[in-house]
Each structure stands twice: as C-alpha cells, then as structure tokens.
Amino acid sequence: MSQQRTKSQTRTAIDGLKELIFSGELAAGSDHLETELAARLGMSRTPVREATLMLEGQGLLEVRPRKGVRILSLSVADMDEIYELLTELESLAARRAAAAGYAKADLKCLEDAIDNMETALSEEDREAWARADEDFHTELVRLGGNSRVISIVANFNDQVRRARSMTLYIRPLPEKSNEDHRALLDAISAGDQELAFKVHHEHRSNAREMLIALLQKHGLRHV
Amino acid sequence: MSQQRTKSQTRTAIDGLKELIFSGELAAGSDHLETELAARLGMSRTPVREATLMLEGQGLLEVRPRKGVRILSLSVADMDEIYELLTELESLAARRAAAAGYAKADLKCLEDAIDNMETALSEEDREAWARADEDFHTELVRLGGNSRVISIVANFNDQVRRARSMTLYIRPLPEKSNEDHRALLDAISAGDQELAFKVHHEHRSNAREMLIALLQKHGLRHV
DNA sequence: GCATTACATTGCGTATACATTAAATAATGC
DNA sequence: GCATTATTTAATGTATACGCAATGTAATGC
C-alpha cells in the first residue's frame, strides 16, 4: 500500500509481528520476551516495545510483564463474540450502503468480488475464494461509509484471520454464499435498506453458526 | 477500581492525559510536544510516548511527528458516526440481555440507575442525571455479555465525553428518556429480544438526532 | 524432608544519549 | 523581489544504560 521512503522501525516491528502471528510462526498462546523479539527483528527493544503495546491495543497479543508477550488465542466463545459483532457492524454497513444510493459504477468492486468468488469456486481454489470474499466484505463496509465501523471491522478481521485460514480447507465449499452476495448487491442497488440489512445479517449469522459448529466438530477449542 | 501498589509511569501518563483531555485543559485541536507533556507530567519522554501511542489507538489524539500530538476534536459528522455505532452496539447488547433471561436481581443496577435519573430529574441536577444515564448504558452493555462490545462502547464513550459535558446544560431536560429506559427494562425482563432491540434502537436514534440538531443549532462544528 | 528465608538472576520500566530528518531560516543567484 | 538552495534548528525515533522488582534457586532451620 502506502510506502514510506524510510519505514520506521516501529512500523517494521508492527508489520513483522503481525506477519509472524498470522503465519503462525509465533504460535497462538506462546510467550516471547521483548529481547527475543528484538533480536529476531534485528532492532532494539524500544520499537518492539512500542509495537507490542499497539498490537495489544488491537487485541492480537497480551503484554505480561516478566512473562513475555503472549500471542492471543481465540476460544470458540471468543470467535462467537467476534462474529456476532461483525455480523452487526457489517449489516449496519449494508443498510447504510443501500441508503446511500450508489450508482452502478460505485458497486463495481462488489460485482468484481462476486465474479472472482464464482470463478474461484468453479476452480475449487479456496485461497482465491477467501481473498475475494474478504474483498467483498471489506468493500461492503467501506461503502457503508462509517469510518469507525471500517476500522473496527478491519481490526477484528485481523483477529480472526488465523482461524479463517485454519478452517479454510476443512469447511464445506461455500456454494450458497454467492446467492446471498448477489441478493445483497441487488438490495443495495435498489436502495432497499431493510432488505440489505436482513439479507446480510442472515448471511453472516449462517456463516457464524457454520464456523462455530466446524470448530466444535473438529475439537478446535483454541485457534 | 483496581489499584496497583506502584502505578507505572505509563499508566500515570495515560490517566493524566485522559484527565487533561476530558477536562479540556488540553483543548480539542491543540498540539503538544512530547517534551512539553513529559515536563507537565513530571516524567521522561519514554512513558509519555507510550501513553500517546496507546491513546492514539483509542482515538483520543493523533501523533503527528514533529508537530506534536494533536488532541482530536470531533466534527458533527464524527459525532454522528459514533452515535450511529453506539446505537447499533447498545441495541445489540439490549437484544442479548433480553435473550439471556436475567433474573430480577441481575437487573437491579438498571433499576437503580433509572431511579437515580428520576431523582436527578426532579431536582434538575444534570450532572447526577448524566452519571446515572451513563451507569444505565454501561450496565446495559455489560449485561449484553459481549466483551468486545463492552470495550468498544467504553472507548467511544470516552471519545464523546467532552461533547456530552459541553451539551449537558444546553440540551432540554430528558423528560421522556426514562419512559424509554423503563420500557427497555420491561422488555429485557420479559425476554422479548426484538422489542428490547427496537425500543433501545429508537431511544438511541432519538438521542442522536437531538444531539446533532443541538450541535448544529449552537454552531458547535467541532467539540 | 519440608518450609522458610536469603540470595542471585533477569526481564522490564524508565531515563537518557544520540542520530536522523523534517521544518524553519538564511543565503544565494537570477 | 522571488525562487531556489544551503544551513541551522529542534523534535522525533531509536539505542542503550541502569535500577528495581519479580521469579527462581540455594541455603538454612526445624
């Protein structure tokens, strides 16, 4: 995205730590001393410390003095909480997007994302599908136009990212999903606020239930 | 609340800065250098810096390299965004509280808050009313039981605190407010999820519209 | 052998020193 | 005079030093 000429060490630490967390190199539940992380990232403790404080604020880890920072793991109950929150906020965004009276051109990103999901589905390319699905949801929230909602949703998407990629290959192919996406797009196009809200709320609720059931079925108590 | 034996300097800085911001001593929109704040708080730059980074994460200020930290002011549009978000999240909490099947004893805090508001109203004690109103809303969200929602709502309440206290004496006395509160309490008691959601959503929407209109009427473009 | 206390270790919180670089100012050429 | 470039200033970003307090370990008493 936006490239600074010289990326600050703190920025590097934040990005580096997030990457290490998302990739699982820093496992959920594991503890790491500031010194260790600093050495790992090739910098002094100061920017690492700043980064961990910020990531703590974002709910990705917990700073536990003298025990190291703990990479947070999410219980099923946590996932349920987060999905409930995302359901509500995305549905709010859907309603607002419908209210905004967007022209067809404004909704092109949504269209594209849906097309990409369809292609990915037919090719059974789960990674591509997941990317397009995230695009769709991100764009939907953006169209909602509430900047606070946008950043909260982005934050919690980060938090569940690991869980998503863990379940990507054990979940059923989301065949029905795109019907919902198209229905939502139609509702937004038509400016039908309540329908947009309702369609997306149900879509998200279903996804939530599916995911929770999946986690329980596979005994994934923590992700 | 929870007292540390020795409060860390960073903690002191956070609390101190928040206090200075809420009280208006650090005015909305004003800029302050790290060194200045450090001197003011009687500590070195390090904990001040950590505090400002965390408060930036909480949306209370913005760190602008070489220009100092800027205390954020909220435009009317910002207030609108935040109130929209709070409306949705509190209404979600209301629905969940209704779903939880709380016993009468569990809802005592809500009852008390309503009583306190009534007393405060009859005595025209606006400060007391505001405290009780905040108690009510905080407790409602707590009863909702979603810890993410709880902390987000607390965060945004901090952000609008200054605006609230600014408008406290120019707004009309909230005579009707308590009817809504009681109706919500009844809905929660009765376990009527949709009613609880609806009642509170409307209550909040009204409060939002009143506040926005008030800000505009008084030409308060930034608070 | 167990509990308790003294001791050693070490990770963190904070202060401070220093390098970097954006901004402000002065100087130069036209 | 104006624009452009060189210089200075100063606030930040980062490294480092250091003391404290928490944790683990050894020593002591019973």
Side-chain angles (χ1 to χ4, degrees):
Chain A
M1 303 287 169
S2 61
Q3 280 276 28
Q4 296 273 25
R5 272 221 321 284
T6 51
K7 203 159 126 180
S8 81
Q9 295 289 72
T10 303
R11 187 73 251 160
T12 309
I14 292 172
D15 295 345
L17 288 176
K18 279 176 97 165
E19 187 48 41
L20 288 171
I21 292 170
F22 294 153
S23 73
E25 267 184 85
L26 297 182
S30 61
D31 295 320
H32 306 273
L33 299 177
E34 287 180 2
T35 319
E36 173 212 326
L37 294 174
R40 194 156 182 170
L41 295 167
M43 59 183 68
S44 84
R45 273 176 54 220
T46 308
V48 171
R49 210 178 137 76
E50 293 188 349
T52 58
L53 288 173
M54 298 181 83
L55 293 179
E56 181 175 45
Q58 290 174 36
L60 287 177
L61 49 81
E62 187 187 1
V63 175
R64 309 162 69 228
R66 286 166 197 284
K67 309 209 168 166
V69 293
R70 165 156 302 176
I71 311 304
L72 283 189
S73 69
L74 296 177
S75 66
V76 173
D78 288 321
M79 293 291 296
D80 202 38
E81 271 201 358
I82 294 173
Y83 268 70
E84 178 178 50
L85 176 62
L86 288 174
T87 297
E88 216 64 29
L89 293 184
E90 285 191 11
S91 303
L92 168 63
R95 183 198 285 136
R96 290 211 14 152
Y102 284 116
K104 189 141 182 83
D106 301 321
L107 304 176
K108 184 161 183 313
C109 285
L110 289 184
E111 286 247 32
D112 289 348
I114 294 177
D115 291 342
N116 290 340
M117 278 187 269
E118 228 154 52
T119 310
L121 262 185
S122 68
E123 296 170 359
E124 298 200 11
D125 182 344
R126 286 169 187 254
E127 306 275 357
W129 176 84
R131 272 196 304 277
D133 186 59
E134 179 158 0
D135 287 348
F136 182 86
H137 287 264
T138 303
E139 178 62 12
L140 169 65
V141 172
R142 204 185 64 72
L143 291 170
N146 184 318
S147 68
R148 271 79 186 176
V149 171
I150 292 172
S151 71
I152 294 171
V153 169
N155 176 221
F156 283 98
N157 274 330
D158 273 352
Q159 288 191 41
V160 297
R161 179 148 296 146
R162 205 175 36 222
R164 277 236 195 99
S165 59
M166 279 187 66
T167 51
L168 187 56
Y169 286 93
I170 57 175
R171 58 167 293 181
L173 270 179
E175 306 283 6
K176 188 188 167 291
S177 193
N178 255 6
E179 288 175 38
D180 295 341
H181 290 141
R182 287 214 188 276
L184 173 59
L185 181 57
D186 290 345
I188 292 174
S189 291
D192 190 333
Q193 299 181 40
E194 288 320 305
L195 184 63
F197 183 92
K198 186 165 165 291
V199 164
H200 194 65
H201 203 282
E202 265 169 35
H203 170 64
R204 268 305 210 172
S205 295
N206 290 339
R208 173 183 168 200
E209 278 166 31
M210 186 277 291
L211 184 85
I212 298 297
L214 198 65
L215 291 174
Q216 276 165 345
K217 179 181 155 199
H218 287 262
L220 296 171
R221 310 241 336 238
H222 283 274
V223 289
Chain B
M1 304 291 163
S2 63
Q3 281 277 23
Q4 295 273 27
R5 272 219 321 283
T6 51
K7 204 159 126 178
S8 81
Q9 294 291 73
T10 303
R11 187 74 249 159
T12 309
I14 293 172
D15 294 344
L17 288 176
K18 280 177 95 165
E19 187 49 40
L20 289 172
I21 293 170
F22 294 152
S23 72
E25 266 184 86
L26 297 182
S30 61
D31 295 321
H32 306 272
L33 299 177
E34 288 181 1
T35 318
E36 174 212 325
L37 294 174
R40 194 157 183 168
L41 295 167
M43 59 184 68
S44 84
R45 273 177 53 219
T46 308
V48 171
R49 210 179 137 76
E50 293 188 349
T52 57
L53 289 173
M54 298 180 83
L55 293 178
E56 181 174 45
Q58 291 173 37
L60 288 176
L61 49 82
E62 188 187 0
V63 175
R64 308 165 68 231
R66 280 156 208 290
K67 311 210 169 163
V69 293
R70 165 157 301 179
I71 311 304
L72 283 191
S73 70
L74 297 177
S75 67
V76 173
D78 288 322
M79 292 292 296
D80 203 38
E81 271 201 357
I82 295 173
Y83 268 70
E84 178 177 51
L85 176 62
L86 287 174
T87 298
E88 216 63 30
L89 294 185
E90 285 191 11
S91 302
L92 169 63
R95 183 199 284 137
R96 291 212 12 153
Y102 284 116
K104 190 144 182 78
D106 300 321
L107 304 176
K108 188 166 180 309
C109 285
L110 289 185
E111 286 247 30
D112 290 348
I114 294 176
D115 291 343
N116 290 339
M117 278 187 269
E118 229 152 52
T119 310
L121 262 185
S122 67
E123 297 171 359
E124 298 200 12
D125 182 344
R126 285 168 187 254
E127 306 276 354
W129 177 84
R131 274 196 304 278
D133 187 58
E134 178 159 0
D135 287 348
F136 182 87
H137 286 263
T138 304
E139 178 63 11
L140 168 65
V141 173
R142 203 185 63 72
L143 290 170
N146 184 318
S147 68
R148 271 82 185 174
V149 171
I150 293 172
S151 70
I152 294 171
V153 169
N155 176 220
F156 283 98
N157 273 330
D158 273 353
Q159 288 191 42
V160 297
R161 181 147 296 146
R162 208 176 33 221
R164 277 237 196 99
S165 58
M166 279 187 65
T167 51
L168 187 55
Y169 286 92
I170 56 174
R171 59 168 292 182
L173 270 178
E175 307 283 4
K176 188 186 167 289
S177 192
N178 255 4
E179 287 174 38
D180 295 341
H181 290 139
R182 286 212 190 278
L184 173 60
L185 181 56
D186 290 346
I188 293 175
S189 291
D192 190 333
Q193 298 181 41
E194 288 321 307
L195 183 62
F197 183 92
K198 186 164 164 293
V199 164
H200 195 66
H201 203 281
E202 267 171 33
H203 170 63
R204 268 304 209 173
S205 296
N206 291 338
R208 175 183 167 199
E209 278 166 33
M210 186 275 293
L211 184 86
I212 299 297
L214 198 65
L215 291 175
Q216 277 166 343
K217 179 182 156 198
H218 287 261
L220 297 169
R221 311 243 335 242
H222 283 274
V223 288

